[in-house]
Amino acid sequence: MATGKQIRNAKEKIDRSRAYLLDEALTLLKEGTFAKFDESVEVSIRLGVDPRKADQMVRGAVVLPNGLGKNVRVLVFAKGEKIQEAEAAGADYVGGDDLAEKIQGGWFDFDTAIAAPDMMGVVGKIGRLLGPRGLMPNPKVGTVTPDIARAVSEAKSGKIEYRVEKAGIIHAAVGKASFDVVKLRENLLSLVDVLMKAKPSSAKGIYLKKISVSSTMGPGILVDVADVQAAVR
């Protein structure tokens, strides 16, 4: 359990009045971790969009080049030959109505749900349970697809979904504190690159407004947006 002193010490190492170069920020983050477990590294990105407008909703997925540093438990809704395809690709759970019944009973021991298109009738019945947990398969992020093998492989290798929230902010995990700075940098830049390419044409003014990184237990560290943009281009 983190102590108040440990949290204060972590905060004291950071100058909250400045934005750090990306490598500096990630180095500070790693130096400030103190938990007994391998903390996750997360990024928060404020975009110059209005999510209330349908044409400014930024949503999608990206496969991080260095993964997330954890075993991703993948559930697949499939039938027929797609069952074998999912199992061969490494899915942890494969089924149909049987899985839906388990979920209705309160079982959620998986991180990602994928569905073949012909299984959406089954999935739709439990959408009210999957949706609030961010587990509802969606064709926009590639989790409703006839290419089950590819979807499972991407999920296992570190595919993350992102979606802008009401305040115009995207939160996403980009690795673990045990990753070196190079791996964390590559993962974060991969996400930013995809976000920049997804800029809505109707979004005016500054698009990437603010970027900060943090570990599970650590404080947020402001990152120089211009440095990140220069690294992506």
Side-chain angles (χ1 to χ4, degrees):
M1 181 69 68
T3 66
K5 182 177 180 181
Q6 287 174 314
I7 295 173
R8 285 196 302 272
N9 288 341
K11 288 182 177 180
E12 288 173 357
K13 294 179 180 179
I14 301 166
D15 183 350
R16 307 300 288 271
S17 67
R18 61 168 288 198
Y20 292 87
L21 296 178
L22 179 56
D23 285 0
E24 290 179 321
L26 293 174
T27 298
L28 268 177
L29 180 151
K30 285 175 58 63
E31 291 175 348
T33 56
F34 51 79
K36 294 182 179 180
F37 60 92
D38 192 5
E39 298 180 48
S40 292
V41 175
E42 301 174 352
V43 60
S44 296
I45 303 174
R46 183 182 293 277
L47 300 178
V49 298
D50 184 351
R52 295 172 298 178
K53 297 179 179 178
D55 61 353
Q56 292 192 32
M57 171 55 68
V58 179
R59 181 180 186 180
V62 59
V63 178
L64 300 179
N66 300 301
L68 284 170
K70 70 172 186 177
N71 177 42
V72 179
R73 299 165 299 174
V74 178
L75 177 149
V76 177
F77 290 100
K79 61 183 177 182
E81 63 182 20
K82 293 297 181 182
I83 292 178
Q84 289 72 38
E85 186 178 325
E87 291 174 341
D92 298 275
Y93 311 102
V94 186
D97 289 322
D98 56 331
L99 291 180
E101 288 178 9
K102 286 185 67 175
I103 290 169
Q104 286 176 325
W107 177 77
F108 293 97
D109 292 338
F110 55 96
D111 303 299
T112 299
I114 296 167
D118 60 2
M119 294 299 292
M120 288 309 293
V122 173
V123 177
K125 297 176 183 177
I126 52 174
R128 61 183 177 79
L129 299 174
L130 297 175
R133 294 174 171 80
L135 294 169
M136 184 67 179
N138 189 305
K140 292 183 178 180
V141 296
T143 48
V144 176
T145 174
D147 194 346
I148 294 296
R150 178 178 179 180
V152 172
S153 178
E154 288 181 342
K156 284 288 187 180
S157 62
K159 182 178 182 178
I160 61 167
E161 297 180 18
Y162 59 83
R163 178 172 181 163
V164 67
E165 299 175 356
K166 290 182 179 179
I169 300 174
I170 283 178
H171 297 285
V174 291
K176 293 287 188 179
S178 58
F179 284 18
D180 60 34
V181 168
V182 173
K183 287 185 177 180
L184 290 173
R185 174 188 175 87
E186 290 175 348
N187 279 358
L188 188 150
L189 292 179
S190 293
L191 172 61
V192 174
D193 182 42
V194 170
L195 291 178
M196 290 177 67
K197 291 175 180 175
K199 178 183 178 181
S201 58
S202 58
K204 307 302 179 183
I206 299 173
Y207 181 55
L208 287 180
K209 287 191 167 185
K210 185 178 180 181
I211 301 174
S212 64
V213 293
S214 63
S215 62
T216 303
M217 304 296 293
I221 303 172
L222 198 61
V223 179
D224 189 311
V225 174
D227 181 50
V228 173
Q229 288 179 310
V232 170
R233 288 171 182 158

